[in-house]
Amino acid sequence: MSLTRSDLESLRLQQMIAVEKLGLSILSTAELEASIAQILQQKPPQSDVWIFAYGSLIWNPILKYCDRISGKIYGWHRSFCLRTPVGRGTPENPGLVLALESGGSCRGIAYRIAPELIAPELLLLWRREMVVGSYIPRWVKVFAVGTSIDAIVFTINPKHPMYDPKLSIEAVATTIATAEGALGSCSDYLSQTIYGLAEHQIIDRGLLNLQKQVTEINSVQQQSESSQSCA
């Protein structure tokens, strides 16, 4: 399953984290609103409010948007570097989800929010992405065919305890192949991201290579379980 608007409106994520007693600081509504106000104060002059998506926001945006375009940002790259002990994992076997780390470039989708919906839609988005402060929202330049726009994007908070940098590709693949939580498996999260990008003619070779390794790990595990059942 995936997150829904109802989940965010009912503060389901906050409740899941609180129940697990993970020791993570859950941002209050006042703190989320202060973060939103701060990013909007930095809004480039005469720019609309766009959101740049690079992971689950592509295939499950939830947001009410009035326009969308595919584009590319520079200075940031997609990376499975954020541990998740709920949602796509458990405290005993935390999963991994995507964040943006510095360096390189990233192709994704930008969504434009209608002016009259900016306040409620951003609060909903902040409840999803900023629930425990694992990201840093910032403005980036998105380059699309024939144009460029300024958009808000969520980059990794390098000081957050769930940030797990410099993981090997093998460690990432093993985690994605084995981790699962209340919102589904990490392998499904990876597949959905690949399919979501493909719908916009975006191919991420790194994600495809990762998916291949995850498939191989699952195949070996299934063969092992089959052998044990026949023994």
Side-chain angles (χ1 to χ4, degrees), residues 14-224:
Q14 287 86 340
Q15 294 165 5
M16 290 168 59
I17 296 168
V19 167
E20 293 292 351
K21 299 180 180 178
L22 301 171
L24 296 174
S25 178
I26 300 175
L27 274 64
S28 66
T29 297
E31 289 173 314
L32 296 177
E33 290 175 338
S35 175
I36 294 169
Q38 182 179 42
I39 196 69
L40 290 180
Q41 287 174 0
Q42 302 169 14
K43 186 166 73 71
Q46 300 179 342
S47 68
D48 293 323
V49 172
W50 292 77
I51 305 297
F52 183 77
Y54 55 87
S56 63
L57 282 172
I58 292 175
W59 47 270
N60 185 32
I62 295 179
L63 288 172
K64 293 179 180 178
Y65 58 91
C66 56
D67 193 11
R68 70 180 181 186
I69 60 172
S70 61
K72 188 174 185 178
I73 64 174
Y74 293 90
W76 302 93
H77 67 278
R78 213 178 342 253
S79 174
F80 275 98
C81 62
L82 182 60
R83 290 288 182 182
T84 173
V86 296
R88 298 283 173 174
T90 63
E92 298 73 27
N93 186 26
L96 283 167
V97 292
L98 288 165
L100 288 183
E101 292 187 293
S102 62
S105 61
C106 177
R107 295 184 66 195
I109 305 300
Y111 300 99
R112 183 166 70 89
I113 302 176
E116 66 274 14
L117 294 178
I118 288 174
E121 293 306 303
L122 287 190
L123 180 56
L124 206 70
L125 179 62
W126 254 247
R127 284 178 176 172
R128 172 180 179 165
E129 304 297 331
M130 294 294 292
V131 58
V132 292
S134 51
Y135 294 106
I136 296 176
R138 65 179 75 238
W139 290 93
V140 293
K141 184 74 70 175
V142 182
F143 295 90
V145 177
T147 188
S148 65
I149 60 169
D150 296 295
I152 298 170
V153 71
F154 294 94
T155 63
I156 192 65
N157 177 357
K159 296 181 180 180
H160 198 271
M162 292 295 101
Y163 176 43
D164 202 347
K166 300 181 180 178
L167 286 170
S168 67
I169 185 69
E170 293 78 15
V172 172
T174 298
T175 297
I176 292 176
T178 60
E180 185 172 358
L183 296 178
S185 67
C186 280
S187 60
D188 182 62
Y189 175 99
L190 170 62
S191 297
Q192 292 274 31
T193 302
I194 291 172
Y195 297 150
L197 288 167
E199 288 181 350
H200 298 279
Q201 293 74 53
I202 299 174
I203 305 299
D204 187 313
R205 301 294 179 187
L207 294 187
L208 290 174
N209 179 52
L210 185 57
Q211 186 181 51
K212 179 180 178 182
Q213 294 197 41
V214 169
T215 300
E216 291 173 352
I217 291 171
N218 286 334
S219 178
V220 170
Q221 180 65 27
Q222 290 171 2
Q223 290 176 8
S224 176

